[in-house]
Amino acid sequence: GFCLPFATCGILLLFCGCLAYLVLDPREEEKAAAEEEEKGPAVAGSFRILLSTPVMLLACLVTVVTGMSTQWYQPSLEPYVRTQFGMSPFQASLLFIIDGGTYALVTPIIGKLLDKGLDCRVVLVFGSGIICFGYLLLAPAPPFLFAPSLVQIGVGAGVHGVGMAMNFIGTLTLMTQESGRKSSDCEQIQGMVTSIWITCESLGGFIGAAAGGAAYDKLGWSSSCVMVAGCQTVVMVLVVSGWLAGIVSLYTNSKVYRKEEYKKL
């Protein structure tokens, strides 16, 4: 019935809380509090400093837009497949696990590649492109000019999950790297960066759920999917533009430095 999912989630949350109480050691918090009283609170940075760079703002924008894409079809996919294919609510619910399952499988792979030295901006460009590709497949919209089908919906949701994994882990890594350049890399800064990332993801999810439902009511399924594809295209262009601007700035600065060194000679 209607109450079962809520009861299940509540029981699982209570179970996780009990596990946390048994596993986490309260003496570590007491020790940290005692050290803070002795040394005084250390303020290593602020949100204003962290958000003062274009790279951090761009990462926030990518996170918001990706968060929008994760919730965009949550209110509209079930009524769409019910009217289009005559599916029951249970059958429709199976489609919602595709993007999440793909996301869970791909995220460790992307994280491993980033640890090996893969550039975050490359991940974001391809991630935004893949999400755009997935939503055009979900629509379906050009270049996918074929009749809607359940296979098309499933594949589109899976492709979307891959792009989600790339963008979410890519933005978090980029934020962490950028914060290390602006402030000391300590636990406080990492917590602040994580809070910024979660806030952007939650804001995007709120906007996506509200706007996705409204777009479905006003424009229909295909047009609403094309809107997300357009947003991801804009983000992809912004990431590439920022990347090129950084390369030009680095080249200009190195050229000026060489001229100054030449004058000293």
Side-chain angles (χ1 to χ4, degrees):
F2 179 77
C3 296
L4 180 61
F6 299 98
T8 304
C9 290
I11 292 171
L12 290 175
L13 286 172
L14 289 174
F15 179 70
C16 291
C18 294
L19 285 180
Y21 178 79
L22 295 174
V23 172
L24 298 178
D25 188 0
R27 290 174 294 182
E28 295 182 0
E29 293 295 331
E30 295 173 357
K31 183 179 179 180
E35 291 179 354
E36 184 175 340
E37 288 181 1
E38 293 178 1
K39 301 178 182 179
V43 181
S46 66
F47 287 106
R48 181 181 60 81
I49 294 174
L50 291 175
L51 295 173
S52 62
T53 61
V55 175
M56 185 67 76
L57 293 176
L58 180 61
C60 290
L61 177 62
V62 176
T63 306
V64 170
V65 176
T66 305
M68 287 173 55
S69 73
T70 62
Q71 297 295 322
W72 190 267
Y73 55 73
Q74 296 298 317
S76 57
L77 180 59
E78 191 274 334
Y80 170 70
V81 296
R82 186 179 69 244
T83 56
Q84 185 74 23
F85 307 108
M87 298 181 69
S88 67
F90 172 73
Q91 292 172 332
S93 68
L94 298 177
L95 295 173
F96 286 97
I97 67 174
I98 296 175
D99 58 345
T102 308
Y103 172 81
L105 292 174
V106 175
T107 297
I109 300 173
I110 302 301
K112 190 68 174 179
L113 293 175
L114 288 169
D115 288 340
K116 293 292 185 180
L118 180 62
D119 196 313
C120 297
R121 290 162 294 190
V122 174
V123 174
L124 296 182
V125 170
F126 279 95
S128 298
I130 289 173
I131 294 177
C132 176
F133 181 82
Y135 265 89
L136 291 177
L137 187 57
L138 280 167
F144 306 108
L145 299 177
F146 44 73
S149 66
L150 288 177
V151 174
Q152 159 246 326
I153 295 290
V155 174
V159 172
H160 172 228
V162 175
M164 282 168 48
M166 298 181 73
N167 274 9
F168 277 145
I169 193 67
T171 51
L172 182 58
T173 304
L174 184 60
M175 287 180 177
T176 305
Q177 293 175 352
E178 188 64 20
S179 66
R181 298 189 185 100
K182 296 292 292 183
S183 307
S184 59
D185 190 12
C186 63
E187 186 176 351
Q188 178 194 4
I189 295 299
Q190 293 175 0
M192 294 170 68
V193 169
T194 305
S195 68
I196 293 172
W197 183 86
I198 292 175
T199 301
C200 293
E201 193 272 336
S202 300
L203 176 62
F206 169 76
I207 297 172
Y216 176 74
D217 286 340
K218 296 293 183 181
L219 305 175
W221 172 259
S222 296
S223 298
S224 66
C225 290
V226 172
M227 289 178 63
V228 180
C231 292
Q232 291 294 333
T233 302
V234 172
V235 166
M236 188 166 47
V237 171
L238 289 176
V239 173
V240 173
S241 300
W243 192 359
L244 294 177
I247 294 174
V248 172
S249 177
L250 182 63
Y251 173 76
T252 304
N253 292 337
S254 63
K255 192 174 181 180
V256 171
Y257 175 76
R258 287 197 300 268
K259 286 183 178 179
E260 292 178 352
E261 291 296 318
Y262 180 77
K263 289 178 180 178
K264 292 179 181 179
L265 297 175

